Amino acid sequence: MTTITVLGSGNVARALTGRLRDAGHEVIVGSRAPDKVAADFGVRVAGLRAAAGSAEVVINALPGEVSVEVLTGLAAELAGKVLVDIANATESDSYGFASALLYPGSSLAEEIQRALPDVRVVKTLNTMHSSVMADPALPAMPPTAFLSGDDADAKKVVGGLLAELGWVPEWIIDLGGVETARGPEAFLLMVGGLVRALGPVPFGMAVAH
């Protein structure tokens, strides 16, 4: 059993916490307003600092535009840990769809790794709807989960967690170092067009090979 903290209390946290708990892990949700969201989860909910400090693995499900600032403030609690970054940092258009990357020429994962050199950052699960993250068999065809990170052992840990969420090895592609997160993060720029074309159905990126 691993103690896993999910930082953030939105739809992504709701999608992941139950499945990780059912896999036998102790799961903690870290929220900036724990008292307001405690009833939404069947797991312990705590403030961000307490939640991050209690875990062995931390999942960043915070809004991408505040992730670097918030995580930097948790540097002491995160030092040496595996940080699974599933957020996307973008500007939004008037409809709420991504219109531009906040870190052109870089990526959110790289900026987190640069700000927190003692943390083992792995980017994954950011190219799909939150419902697909914990139920990859949901779409009509298998989606792809990408891994980007500099620490091989951290990626093994994350690969194990993906397996517990239902991801089979053939659906996971290790792209390489953390700089390879730039491609998957840019996928969000396609989401507005895809929703207009397909409707608001759960979908994710898939690589045919």
Side-chain angles (χ1 to χ4, degrees), residues 17-31:
T17 50
R19 190 69 179 266
L20 292 171
R21 179 196 59 210
D22 293 346
H25 299 290
E26 179 184 0
V27 182
I28 305 168
V29 171
S31 172

Side-chain angles (χ1 to χ4, degrees), residues 91-147:
E91 298 176 6
S92 299
D93 62 19
S94 58
Y95 297 98
F97 294 119
S99 59
L101 301 175
L102 283 185
Y103 302 109
S106 183
S107 65
L108 175 59
E110 288 173 89
E111 295 305 308
I112 294 171
Q113 187 65 88
R114 186 174 294 113
L116 299 168
D118 295 331
V119 176
R120 299 183 289 164
V121 178
V122 179
K123 188 81 179 191
T124 194
L125 294 182
N126 65 302
T127 55
M128 64 202 70
H129 188 268
S130 58
S131 62
V132 178
M133 295 177 183
D135 189 5
L138 180 64
M141 64 177 292
T144 301
F146 302 100
L147 294 174

Side-chain angles (χ1 to χ4, degrees), residues 30-165:
S31 172
R32 287 174 285 188
D35 294 339
K36 292 183 179 180
V37 302
D40 296 343
F41 298 91
V43 299
R44 175 186 164 199
V45 179
L48 296 177
R49 191 172 304 281
S54 300
E56 299 162 71
V57 175
V58 177
I59 298 174
N60 176 37
L62 295 164
E65 62 270 19
V66 302
S67 289
V68 174
E69 178 183 359
V70 173
L71 294 174
T72 300
L74 302 173
E77 289 78 13
L78 295 173
K81 296 178 179 178
V82 175
L83 178 71
V84 188
D85 177 34
I86 59 179
N88 289 299
T90 62
E91 298 176 6
S92 299
D93 62 19
S94 58
Y95 297 98
F97 294 119
S99 59
L101 301 175
L102 283 185
Y103 302 109
S106 183
S107 65
L108 175 59
E110 288 173 89
E111 295 305 308
I112 294 171
Q113 187 65 88
R114 186 174 294 113
L116 299 168
D118 295 331
V119 176
R120 299 183 289 164
V121 178
V122 179
K123 188 81 179 191
T124 194
L125 294 182
N126 65 302
T127 55
M128 64 202 70
H129 188 268
S130 58
S131 62
V132 178
M133 295 177 183
D135 189 5
L138 180 64
M141 64 177 292
T144 301
F146 302 100
L147 294 174
S148 298
D150 294 335
D151 189 296
D153 290 336
K155 285 195 279 190
K156 289 179 182 178
V157 170
V158 176
L161 293 179
L162 292 180
E164 292 175 335
L165 291 172

